Amino acid sequence: MAPHTEQLIRSSAVQLRGLTRSFEDRTVLDGIDLDIPAGQFVALLGHSGSGKSTLLRAVAHLDHEVVGSGQLTAPERVSVVFQDSRLLPWRRVLDNVLLGLDGKEAEHKGREALAEVGLKGRERAWPNELSGGEAQRAALARSLVREPELLLADEPFGALDALTRIKMHTLLRELWERHRPSVLLVTHDVDEAIVLADRVLVLDHGRIGLDLTIDRPHPRSYRDPLLGEYRERLLAALGVTEDHK
Ligand SMILES: Nc1ncnc2c1ncn2[C@@H]1O[C@H](COP(=O)(O)OP(=O)(O)OP(=O)(O)O)[C@@H](O)[C@H]1O
Ligand SMILES: [Mg+2]
């Protein structure tokens, strides 16, 4: 397989230039240009199979086996959260959060991060004793403790029930406000994107088909009628009309 011809330049923001990724004869990302300023909260929408995870994996440098080209700039400290919490079942919650970090100071930060996500007192629990939402909270704590400049999240709430998902939205936004990493949140949920992000991208045919700034104050309500206009534009970009939602 051809090696990537991309450069890695350390900086605090994401910059993609002509990013291309292909699987066999299929080009999934077709020359993507994108800048994410430091501290911006961005959501990425797109049909299933449009390449959202491929893009996220590229930015996270998790795709060394994939054929590709282009330039990619990403910060040094990047954390990734997936749909499944990926906690190691044989390690207690605090040990999962600390994974790879040693020392008293790290432990203190780990405990603080667990408290921040509402898991104070659960440090010594085993992952299988946590609910799905709690496991995702622990995954967020594991990211936080690394003080990421960029948080990449691939449908992190996709497996949660609607009520838990709304609570997680509030938590994620609060954490972002406190720590201000750049965020790239992959989701298939238009409402999740509109409520959380300041900018929403739609991936379509390997390119950014729509780049929409959501200019509404936070916290946002799903019922805010002004969000309806953004929803319509995003659904149109996804090829969905309100009648067929
Ligand atoms: N390792 C791989 N080998 C071959 N094809 C792949 C591989 N990973 C992804 N693809 C293909 O690339 C395309 C984009 O996949 P990707 O996982 O990025 O889509 P996605 O937008 O994240 O979809 P979903 O919303 O279903 O998660 C799909 O057609 C998929 O089959
Ligand atoms: Mg995906």
Side-chain angles (χ1 to χ4, degrees):
M1 287 199 182
H4 299 168
T5 55
E6 70 194 24
Q7 301 166 329
L8 173 62
I9 309 159
R10 306 270 184 221
S11 96
S12 59
V14 175
Q15 192 179 75
L16 310 182
R17 290 290 175 274
L19 193 81
T20 298
R21 291 290 184 268
S22 304
F23 297 106
E24 291 168 11
D25 57 349
R26 187 155 172 247
T27 300
V28 173
L29 304 181
D30 189 12
I32 293 200
D33 294 328
L34 175 66
D35 287 280
I36 301 181
Q40 191 172 55
F41 195 133
V42 180
L44 178 65
L45 288 168
H47 284 283
S48 180
S50 60
K52 302 181 297 297
S53 296
T54 303
L55 178 60
L56 183 131
R57 288 174 60 80
V59 176
H61 293 283
L62 292 173
D63 68 340
H64 298 292
E65 79 288 2
V66 184
V67 176
S69 61
Q71 267 113 51
L72 194 162
T73 306
E76 195 169 351
R77 292 195 309 278
V78 179
S79 287
V80 193
V81 181
F82 297 96
Q83 182 166 345
D84 147 26
S85 67
R86 305 203 177 182
L87 299 176
L88 300 175
W90 58 88
R91 283 178 183 252
R92 292 181 192 273
V93 167
L94 179 59
D95 294 335
N96 262 288
V97 168
L98 293 177
L99 211 63
L101 304 174
D102 287 322
K104 277 269 170 262
E105 197 189 327
E107 183 178 330
H108 176 69
K109 280 189 185 162
R111 288 180 185 279
E112 261 184 358
L114 280 170
E116 267 199 82
V117 301
L119 288 178
K120 193 171 167 51
R122 307 300 300 279
E123 294 82 359
R124 290 188 53 75
W126 297 103
N128 69 6
E129 294 168 352
L130 300 184
S131 69
E134 288 168 341
Q136 283 307 77
R137 285 169 187 268
L140 278 176
R142 187 178 48 195
S143 307
L144 273 184
V145 88
R146 285 156 179 79
E147 298 175 4
E149 295 158 273
L150 172 65
L151 177 65
L152 299 171
D154 195 349
E155 305 208 29
F157 314 130
L160 304 177
D161 66 88
L163 194 58
T164 307
R165 200 179 310 161
I166 289 170
K167 287 183 184 162
M168 292 297 283
H169 290 165
T170 307
L171 174 65
L172 179 59
R173 189 71 203 185
E174 282 171 3
L175 293 174
W176 175 80
E177 271 164 20
R178 232 173 287 144
H179 300 275
R180 296 276 167 167
S182 308
V183 175
L184 182 59
L185 169 76
V186 166
T187 177
H188 61 266
D189 182 339
V190 173
D191 287 324
E192 179 168 290
I194 296 173
V195 160
L196 281 175
D198 298 313
R199 179 181 175 198
V200 183
L201 310 172
V202 176
L203 192 57
D204 185 29
H205 292 91
R207 299 282 183 107
I208 305 295
L210 180 65
D211 184 342
L212 192 62
T213 301
I214 311 288
D215 191 11
R216 297 291 298 149
H218 288 273
R220 294 178 187 155
S221 161
Y222 286 97
R223 288 184 293 276
D224 179 349
L226 291 173
L227 289 179
E229 198 179 307
Y230 293 113
R231 185 178 298 113
E232 273 176 39
R233 286 191 64 186
L234 289 164
L235 288 170
L238 290 162
V240 182
T241 62
E242 289 282 7
D243 297 342
H244 301 100
K245 208 162 37 152

